[in-house]
Amino acid sequence: MKFSTKAIHTSGNDPQTGAVAFPIYQTSTFSQDVPGQPREFQGRRLSYGRSANPTRTALENSVAALEGARIGIAFSTGLAAINAILMTLKTGDHVLAAQDLYGGAYRQFMKIISNFGVEFSFVDTTDLNNIREGLRSNTKLLWLESPSNPLLNITDIAAAAEIAHEQAVTVVVDNTFATPWLQLPLQLGADLIIHSATKYINGHSDVVSGLVVTNDEELGAKIQFVQNAIGAVPGPQDCFLVLRGLKTLELRMQRHCDNARAVAEYLADHELVKKVYFPGLPSHPGHDIARKQMNDFGGMVSFVLKGEQKNFDAFFAGLKIFTIAESLGGVKSLIAHPPSMTHASMDEAARHKAGIDDGLIRISCGLENSEDLIADLEDALAKASQA
Ligand SMILES: *Cc1c(COP(=O)(O)O)cnc(C)c1O
C-alpha cells in the first residue's frame, strides 16, 4: 500500500459498529468477562484507560504503519514522548545530542534529566567527526534532529547511525519537521523516532500530542512500560483529532513544501534579507544530503533580516496573514522569533554556540495560497525598510 492509502486505511472502520470515522472511545476502563482476561484490540490489552484505549491504539498503529514500523506509542505531548525515551536510561548514562535542537528538549535534558545523573553533551552532528569523537564508553543514545529546529540543519542519518551502531548506541531521530511523508528514519538506520504530533502529524493547531515509533521489540516494550507506568497518555478525543489529521498528511505536506519553497526563494532574493535557512536552496550546506534522505524539503523557513531593531519591529508589525505564535505545522502560517519564543529556554551561550542569531526569524508555511503569503511578506518587508 502507498502512503496516503495507508494513512487513510490503517485505522480501519470501527469493528463494533462499522463507523467509518474511527470513534472516540471515551472510557476510563473496560469490562472483563473473566477476571484478569481483558479483551484485546489491535494487539493491545484493554484493561484500563491508561494502559490502552482503542482510539489511541488506532492512532499508534497508523503512525507506525506510515513510518514503516511495528510499534507506535502515543503520549500527551512531544515532550512526554521524549521523556519516555529518557526514562529508559540510568544514572551514569550519557546522551550525545545535536546542539541545534528543539529548545524544550534541551530544557528537559539539562534542567530535569541531568539532575538524575544522566550526562548530556551537544555537538554539531552535521559533521560526522563530531559524532565519532563525542561518543563515550557510557553513551547510550545519539539524539538527532533533522531538519533541525530552528536552523534546518541536515544530519546524514544513515552515516550517523552507522557510527553509533559500531558502539551499540541507540539512535533517536526527532522526525517532527520531516514527518514520515518526507523521511523514514528507521529505514535510514535509526532505532527510535519521536514526533511532536502537535505539529504536522495533527496539522491543524488544535491538539498537543506526541509519539514514539520503533521496530525494536525490546525498546518498544520498555517504552510501552514507561507509557503506562509514568502515565503521560493522550486522551481519546486528542487521539481522534490526530488520527483525523493524519489522513491528509500527504496532501498537506505537499502544499507545505511548495509554499516553503516559494517563500524561501522569494526571501533569498530580497535586499533586506541577510540570510535564509532552507534545505531546498542549493546554497544550503545540507542540500545534497536532504535530497538523498528526504522526499522534499519541508515547510519551515528561517531567515535573518538586515538592519536594526526598529526594522525588525516594523516587519513583525506589518504582517497581516502570518500569525506571530510558537508552534508549527498547522494550516495557518505562523512566524516566530526563536531566541525570545521557542528557544528562550536555551541559555544565550548555548544558542550562540548552535549558531542561532539573536535576530533569527522562523516561518512555518501553512496551507494558504503562496501568492498571498509572499504579498504579506512583501508588505511587511517594505514597512521594515521604511522604518
Ligand atoms: C514542538 C516540538 C517538540 C515538543 O513537542 P510538544 O508537543 O510541544 O511537547 C519536540 N521536537 C520538536 C522538533 C518540536 O518542534
Side-chain angles (χ1 to χ4, degrees):
M1 252 194 262
K2 301 275 198 245
F3 192 93
S4 59
T5 318
K6 265 195 240 172
I8 291 164
H9 285 276
T10 303
S11 56
N13 301 328
D14 178 38
Q16 198 73 1
T17 63
V20 166
F22 198 89
I24 303 168
Y25 280 93
Q26 190 74 44
T27 184
S28 64
T29 190
F30 302 87
S31 70
Q32 305 185 13
D33 293 334
V34 177
Q37 289 181 28
R39 277 166 244 256
E40 280 201 13
F41 176 73
Q42 292 187 7
R44 295 296 290 262
R45 284 158 63 90
L46 299 174
S47 56
Y48 181 56
R50 173 163 30 71
S51 321
N53 172 289
T55 319
R56 191 174 98 204
T57 304
L59 169 64
E60 291 173 329
N61 290 344
S62 291
V63 175
L66 293 181
E67 292 279 10
R70 284 191 294 272
I71 305 164
I73 312 164
F75 294 90
S76 52
T77 66
L79 278 177
I82 288 173
N83 182 251
I85 293 176
L86 297 171
M87 284 293 118
T88 64
L89 300 175
K90 293 195 177 68
T91 301
D93 288 347
H94 169 248
V95 178
L96 181 64
Q99 66 182 9
D100 165 33
L101 89 168
Y102 176 65
Y106 179 84
R107 177 178 57 198
Q108 186 178 137
F109 291 178
M110 300 311 286
K111 298 263 167 76
I112 299 187
I113 306 300
S114 60
N115 292 336
F116 296 90
V118 174
E119 297 166 19
F120 292 89
S121 58
F122 299 88
V123 294
D124 174 0
T125 54
T126 62
D127 181 345
L128 297 169
N129 281 325
N130 293 333
I131 298 178
R132 234 174 252 117
E133 285 161 18
L135 293 174
R136 304 176 187 170
S137 58
N138 58 339
T139 305
K140 288 290 165 1
L141 300 177
L142 172 64
W143 200 286
L144 303 175
E145 211 177 283
S146 185
S148 68
N149 182 5
L151 292 178
L152 308 169
N153 283 323
I154 303 293
T155 294
D156 186 332
I157 296 172
E162 208 176 300
I163 295 167
H165 287 161
E166 278 165 18
Q167 305 199 31
V169 170
T170 298
V171 178
V172 184
V173 173
D174 186 328
N175 207 26
T176 299
F177 273 34
T179 82
W181 191 72
L182 292 180
Q183 168 174 289
L184 295 169
L186 298 181
Q187 285 187 7
L188 295 168
D191 304 293
L192 291 167
I193 294 171
I194 82 106
H195 276 290
S196 170
T198 310
K199 316 292 168 54
Y200 291 106
I201 296 247
N202 176 60
H204 294 74
S205 300
D206 50 13
V207 165
V208 285
S209 170
L211 286 143
V212 173
V213 180
T214 185
N215 254 328
D216 183 316
E217 305 273 349
E218 199 182 316
L219 278 171
K222 273 191 193 171
I223 293 162
Q224 280 170 339
F225 182 82
V226 173
Q227 180 195 37
N228 183 47
I230 301 268
V233 295
Q237 304 238 13
D238 283 353
C239 292
F240 170 85
L241 286 170
V242 180
L243 195 54
R244 180 166 74 170
L246 192 65
K247 293 190 169 72
T248 54
L249 184 64
E250 176 173 315
L251 281 171
R252 288 188 288 105
M253 288 314 290
Q254 286 169 342
R255 175 62 86 91
H256 284 302
C257 292
D258 290 347
N259 282 356
R261 191 180 354 263
V263 162
E265 282 168 2
Y266 168 76
L267 288 173
D269 278 344
H270 200 285
E271 58 181 13
L272 206 66
V273 174
K274 188 152 75 182
K275 185 159 186 190
V276 177
Y277 300 84
F278 179 65
L281 293 176
S283 57
H284 187 283
H287 180 67
D288 290 338
I289 295 165
R291 284 182 75 108
K292 190 178 71 173
Q293 70 187 15
M294 297 171 74
N295 252 334
D296 204 340
F297 302 103
M300 302 298 294
V301 180
S302 293
F303 65 104
V304 180
L305 282 184
K306 286 181 192 154
E308 308 159 31
Q309 187 68 36
K310 63 176 192 212
N311 309 98
F312 178 93
D313 293 342
F315 170 74
F316 272 93
L319 292 164
K320 292 200 178 69
I321 293 177
F322 284 89
T323 301
I324 304 170
E326 303 207 4
S327 201
L328 58 114
V331 294
K332 279 188 186 170
S333 289
L334 303 181
I335 191 162
H337 172 233
S340 67
M341 297 169 71
T342 53
H343 287 65
S345 53
M346 236 168 138
D347 57 67
E348 201 178 303
R351 267 202 319 267
H352 289 167
K353 182 172 172 255
I356 302 172
D357 190 288
D358 287 337
L360 188 78
I361 299 169
R362 190 192 77 181
I363 284 179
S364 165
C365 293
L367 304 184
E368 302 94 336
N369 185 296
S370 63
E371 288 174 25
D372 292 327
L373 295 181
I374 288 170
D376 198 39
L377 291 170
E378 186 136 280
D379 283 350
L381 286 166
K383 295 204 173 90
S385 49
Q386 287 150 19

